[in-house]
Amino acid sequence: MIRVLTSGAVVNFALVILGATVGIFLKKGIPERIQQTLMYSVALCVLFIGIKGLFEDSINVLIIIISTAVGAVIGELLNLDRLTNKFGQTIENKLSKNGESKIAEGFVSATLLFCVGAMTVVGCIDSGISGDNATLYTKSLIDLISSAVLASTFGFGVLLSCFSVLIIEGTLTLFAAALQPILSTAVISHISVIGSMLIIALSFNMLGITKIKIMNIIPAVFIPIILCNFM
């Protein structure tokens, strides 16, 4: 049963490995200016995906505001951004041979791109509730391309993000199965909108417009599970 529920996460895990491996091998063959343009292109696609995910029916704006605020406070108290970066830096210190490595940045950027957003949340919920992995399979194909592009710039850190994909998507899928009775259409819609907002913030970071600590806002994604039952 668990194997069926998490098969979408496993496929996503495998395709991120494949894409990142291709990107790492292509790294030396792609001029820096082309890498930068590809990164901007991916960022614009991420922005499009985020904006598209904002348009959900029957959204209570108050739930979005409260969820984001409460989630940000929780994230700041836990300092998830620091913990994530510290983990990436630890890996970088152990594996990097020079001071120009982007392992930590690649790991964080790829983890956020692959694990936060409407497709991740809705895909895991579909997989957990009905065993339908179609959304996660579609997302896996997108991540295959994105991981190759990201790895050509950031290198090994993007490959490490495959474990984030497996753990986060696998966990969300199993949670969705366990929490099925309270995951109403309204809950799913609000979670998707918040995830899409974070994807937009990520695209701004990728474009160099902002430096938002998105990891510290991630808890907001789960707050609607509680609020939608009272508002």
Side-chain angles (χ1 to χ4, degrees):
M1 181 63 176
I2 292 178
R3 184 178 301 175
V4 174
L5 288 175
T6 58
S7 62
V10 171
V11 170
N12 206 164
F13 167 79
L15 291 188
V16 168
I17 291 176
L18 176 60
T21 300
V22 171
I24 290 172
F25 278 110
L26 289 176
K27 185 176 182 181
K28 294 182 179 180
I30 303 178
E32 184 176 350
R33 60 186 180 84
I34 295 180
Q35 291 183 33
Q36 185 177 42
T37 302
L38 285 173
M39 281 298 300
Y40 287 155
S41 298
V42 171
L44 292 174
C45 291
V46 171
L47 177 61
F48 169 74
I49 293 172
I51 293 175
K52 185 178 179 181
L54 292 177
F55 299 98
E56 293 281 350
D57 297 328
S58 303
I59 292 299
N60 186 332
V61 177
L62 191 57
I63 290 179
I64 300 297
I65 294 173
I66 295 175
S67 296
T68 304
V70 172
V73 171
I74 294 173
E76 284 293 338
L77 290 175
L78 296 176
N79 209 341
L80 298 177
D81 183 78
R82 184 185 66 81
L83 291 175
T84 305
N85 278 284
K86 185 177 180 180
F87 175 66
Q89 289 290 348
T90 299
I91 296 173
E92 180 175 344
N93 292 336
K94 291 182 178 181
L95 300 178
S96 176
K97 294 182 179 180
N98 57 69
E100 299 179 356
S101 174
K102 296 183 178 180
I103 292 179
E105 186 177 357
F107 172 75
V108 174
S109 297
T111 294
L112 291 172
L113 177 61
F114 301 151
C115 301
V116 178
M119 289 190 75
T120 298
V121 175
V122 175
C124 290
I125 290 174
D126 287 343
S127 180
I129 293 177
S130 63
D132 182 4
N133 289 291
T135 301
L136 286 182
Y137 291 155
T138 301
K139 174 183 175 296
S140 298
L141 293 176
I142 296 174
D143 290 349
L144 171 67
I145 299 171
S146 300
S147 60
V149 174
L150 286 173
S152 70
T153 300
F154 292 116
F156 190 70
V158 178
L159 181 59
L160 291 176
S161 70
C162 68
F163 295 105
S164 299
V165 171
L166 183 62
I167 293 171
I168 292 175
E169 289 187 357
T171 300
L172 286 176
T173 300
L174 295 175
F175 271 148
L179 300 176
Q180 181 179 353
I182 63 173
L183 290 178
S184 63
T185 301
V187 171
I188 295 173
S189 296
H190 286 82
I191 288 176
S192 296
V193 168
I194 293 174
S196 297
M197 289 168 55
L198 296 180
I199 282 290
I200 292 174
L202 173 61
S203 72
F204 288 163
N205 284 356
M206 294 174 68
L207 289 168
I209 299 174
T210 59
K211 293 183 179 180
I212 301 172
K213 295 180 179 180
I214 303 174
M215 287 297 292
N216 284 355
I217 312 176
I218 282 182
V221 173
F222 304 99
I223 305 300
I225 295 176
I226 299 174
L227 293 183
C228 284
N229 289 290
F230 299 98
M231 299 179 68

